[in-house]
Coordinates of all heavy atoms in Angstrom, one line a residue:
L156 N 48.7 -1.9 14.2 CA 49.9 -2.6 14.5 C 51.1 -2.0 13.9 O 52.3 -2.0 14.5 CB 49.7 -4.1 13.9 CG 48.6 -4.9 14.5 CD1 48.6 -6.3 13.9 CD2 48.9 -5.1 16.1
G157 N 51.0 -1.4 12.7 CA 52.2 -0.7 12.0 C 52.6 0.5 12.9 O 53.8 0.6 13.1
S158 N 51.6 1.3 13.3 CA 52.0 2.5 14.1 C 52.6 2.1 15.5 O 53.6 2.7 16.0 CB 50.8 3.3 14.3 OG 50.4 3.9 13.0
A159 N 52.0 1.1 16.1 CA 52.6 0.6 17.4 C 53.9 0.1 17.3 O 54.8 0.4 18.1 CB 51.5 -0.4 18.0
A160 N 54.2 -0.7 16.2 CA 55.5 -1.3 16.1 C 56.5 -0.2 15.8 O 57.7 -0.2 16.3 CB 55.5 -2.3 15.0
Q161 N 56.2 0.8 15.0 CA 57.0 1.8 14.7 C 57.4 2.7 15.8 O 58.5 3.1 16.1 CB 56.5 2.7 13.5 CG 57.4 3.8 13.0 CD 58.7 3.3 12.4 OE1 58.7 2.4 11.5 NE2 59.9 3.7 13.0
N162 N 56.3 3.0 16.6 CA 56.6 3.7 17.9 C 57.6 3.0 18.8 O 58.4 3.6 19.4 CB 55.2 4.0 18.5 CG 55.5 4.8 19.9 OD1 55.8 6.0 19.9 ND2 55.3 4.2 21.0
A163 N 57.3 1.7 19.0 CA 58.2 0.9 19.8 C 59.7 0.9 19.3 O 60.6 0.9 20.1 CB 57.7 -0.5 19.9
S164 N 59.8 0.8 17.9 CA 61.1 0.9 17.4 C 61.8 2.2 17.6 O 63.0 2.2 18.0 CB 61.0 0.6 15.8 OG 62.3 0.7 15.2
N165 N 61.1 3.3 17.4 CA 61.6 4.6 17.7 C 62.1 4.7 19.2 O 63.1 5.3 19.5 CB 60.6 5.7 17.4 CG 60.4 5.8 15.9 OD1 61.2 5.3 15.1 ND2 59.3 6.4 15.5
A166 N 61.2 4.2 20.1 CA 61.5 4.3 21.5 C 62.8 3.5 21.9 O 63.6 4.0 22.7 CB 60.3 3.7 22.4
R167 N 63.0 2.4 21.2 CA 64.2 1.6 21.4 C 65.5 2.4 20.9 O 66.5 2.4 21.6 CB 64.2 0.2 20.7 CG 63.3 -0.7 21.5 CD 63.4 -2.2 21.0 NE 63.2 -2.3 19.6 CZ 61.9 -2.6 19.1 NH1 60.9 -2.8 20.0 NH2 61.7 -2.8 17.9
V168 N 65.4 3.0 19.7 CA 66.5 3.8 19.2 C 66.8 4.9 20.2 O 67.9 5.2 20.5 CB 66.2 4.3 17.8 CG1 67.2 5.3 17.4 CG2 66.0 3.1 16.9
A169 N 65.8 5.7 20.6 CA 65.9 6.7 21.5 C 66.5 6.3 22.8 O 67.5 7.0 23.3 CB 64.6 7.5 21.7
G170 N 66.0 5.2 23.3 CA 66.4 4.8 24.6 C 67.9 4.4 24.6 O 68.6 4.4 25.6
S171 N 68.4 3.8 23.5 CA 69.8 3.4 23.3 C 70.8 4.5 23.2 O 72.0 4.3 23.4 CB 69.9 2.4 22.2 OG 69.7 3.1 20.9
V172 N 70.3 5.7 22.9 CA 71.2 6.8 22.7 C 71.0 7.9 23.7 O 71.8 8.3 24.5 CB 71.0 7.5 21.2 CG1 72.0 8.5 21.0 CG2 71.1 6.3 20.2
V173 N 69.8 8.5 23.8 CA 69.5 9.6 24.7 C 68.0 9.4 25.1 O 67.4 8.5 24.7 CB 69.7 10.9 24.0 CG1 71.2 11.2 23.8 CG2 68.9 11.0 22.7
D174 N 67.6 10.3 25.9 CA 66.1 10.2 26.3 C 65.3 10.8 25.1 O 65.8 11.4 24.2 CB 65.8 10.9 27.6 CG 66.0 12.5 27.5 OD1 65.8 13.0 26.5 OD2 66.3 13.1 28.6
R175 N 64.0 10.5 25.2 CA 63.1 10.9 24.1 C 63.1 12.3 23.7 O 63.2 12.6 22.6 CB 61.6 10.5 24.5 CG 60.6 10.7 23.4 CD 59.2 10.4 23.9 NE 58.2 10.6 22.8 CZ 57.7 11.8 22.6 NH1 58.0 12.9 23.2 NH2 56.8 11.9 21.6
A176 N 63.1 13.3 24.7 CA 63.1 14.7 24.3 C 64.4 15.0 23.6 O 64.4 15.8 22.6 CB 63.0 15.5 25.6
E177 N 65.6 14.5 24.0 CA 66.8 14.8 23.3 C 66.8 14.2 21.9 O 67.3 14.8 21.0 CB 68.0 14.4 24.1 CG 68.2 15.1 25.4 CD 69.3 14.6 26.3 OE1 69.8 13.4 25.9 OE2 69.7 15.2 27.3
F178 N 66.2 13.0 21.8 CA 66.2 12.3 20.5 C 65.3 13.1 19.5 O 65.8 13.3 18.4 CB 65.6 10.9 20.7 CG 65.3 10.2 19.4 CD1 66.3 9.7 18.7 CD2 64.0 10.0 19.0 CE1 66.0 9.0 17.5 CE2 63.7 9.3 17.8 CZ 64.8 8.8 17.0
L179 N 64.2 13.6 20.0 CA 63.3 14.4 19.1 C 64.0 15.8 18.8 O 63.8 16.2 17.7 CB 62.0 14.6 19.8 CG 61.1 13.3 19.9 CD1 59.8 13.7 20.5 CD2 60.8 12.7 18.5
D180 N 64.7 16.3 19.7 CA 65.4 17.5 19.4 C 66.4 17.4 18.3 O 66.6 18.2 17.4 CB 66.2 18.1 20.7 CG 65.2 18.8 21.7 OD1 64.1 19.2 21.2 OD2 65.6 18.9 22.8
E181 N 67.1 16.2 18.3 CA 68.2 16.0 17.4 C 67.5 15.8 15.9 O 68.0 16.2 14.9 CB 68.9 14.7 17.7 CG 69.9 14.9 18.9 CD 70.7 13.6 19.2 OE1 70.5 12.7 18.4 OE2 71.4 13.6 20.2
V182 N 66.4 15.0 15.9 CA 65.7 14.8 14.7 C 65.2 16.1 14.1 O 65.3 16.4 12.9 CB 64.5 13.8 14.9 CG1 63.6 13.7 13.7 CG2 64.9 12.4 15.3
S183 N 64.6 16.9 15.0 CA 64.0 18.2 14.5 C 65.0 19.1 14.0 O 64.9 19.7 13.0 CB 63.2 18.8 15.7 OG 62.7 20.0 15.3
A184 N 66.2 19.1 14.7 CA 67.3 20.0 14.3 C 67.8 19.5 13.0 O 68.2 20.3 12.1 CB 68.4 20.0 15.3
A185 N 67.9 18.2 12.7 CA 68.4 17.7 11.5 C 67.5 18.0 10.4 O 67.9 18.4 9.2 CB 68.6 16.2 11.6
W186 N 66.2 18.0 10.6 CA 65.2 18.3 9.6 C 65.2 19.8 9.2 O 65.1 20.1 8.0 CB 63.8 17.9 10.1 CG 63.5 16.5 10.1 CD1 64.3 15.3 9.8 CD2 62.2 15.9 10.3 NE1 63.7 14.3 9.9 CE2 62.4 14.5 10.3 CE3 60.9 16.3 10.6 CZ2 61.4 13.5 10.4 CZ3 60.0 15.4 10.9 CH2 60.2 14.1 10.7
E187 N 65.4 20.6 10.2 CA 65.5 22.0 9.9 C 66.7 22.4 9.0 O 66.7 23.5 8.4 CB 65.6 22.8 11.2 CG 64.2 22.8 12.0 CD 64.4 23.4 13.4 OE1 65.5 23.4 13.9 OE2 63.3 23.6 14.0
K188 N 67.7 21.6 9.0 CA 68.9 21.9 8.1 C 68.8 21.3 6.8 O 69.7 21.4 6.0 CB 70.1 21.2 8.9 CG 70.5 22.0 10.2 CD 71.6 21.3 10.9 CE 71.9 21.9 12.2 NZ 73.0 21.2 12.9
L189 N 67.7 20.6 6.5 CA 67.6 20.0 5.2 C 67.4 21.0 4.1 O 67.0 22.2 4.4 CB 66.3 19.1 5.1 CG 66.4 17.9 6.0 CD1 65.0 17.1 6.0 CD2 67.4 16.8 5.4
D190 N 67.8 20.7 2.9 CA 67.6 21.6 1.7 C 66.1 22.0 1.5 O 65.3 21.2 1.3 CB 68.2 20.9 0.4 CG 68.2 21.9 -0.7 OD1 67.2 22.6 -1.0 OD2 69.3 21.9 -1.4
P191 N 65.9 23.2 1.6 CA 64.4 23.7 1.5 C 63.8 23.4 0.1 O 62.6 23.3 0.0 CB 64.5 25.2 1.7 CG 65.9 25.6 1.4 CD 66.7 24.4 1.7

Side-chain angles (χ1 to χ4, degrees):
L156 295 181
S158 296
Q161 185 60 55
N162 179 73
S164 177
N165 291 343
R167 286 195 297 272
V168 171
S171 65
V172 183
V173 289
D174 67 30
R175 181 180 181 278
E177 292 177 352
F178 173 73
L179 292 177
D180 281 342
E181 290 183 4
V182 171
S183 181
W186 285 8
E187 289 170 344
K188 294 176 182 177
L189 292 171
D190 188 311

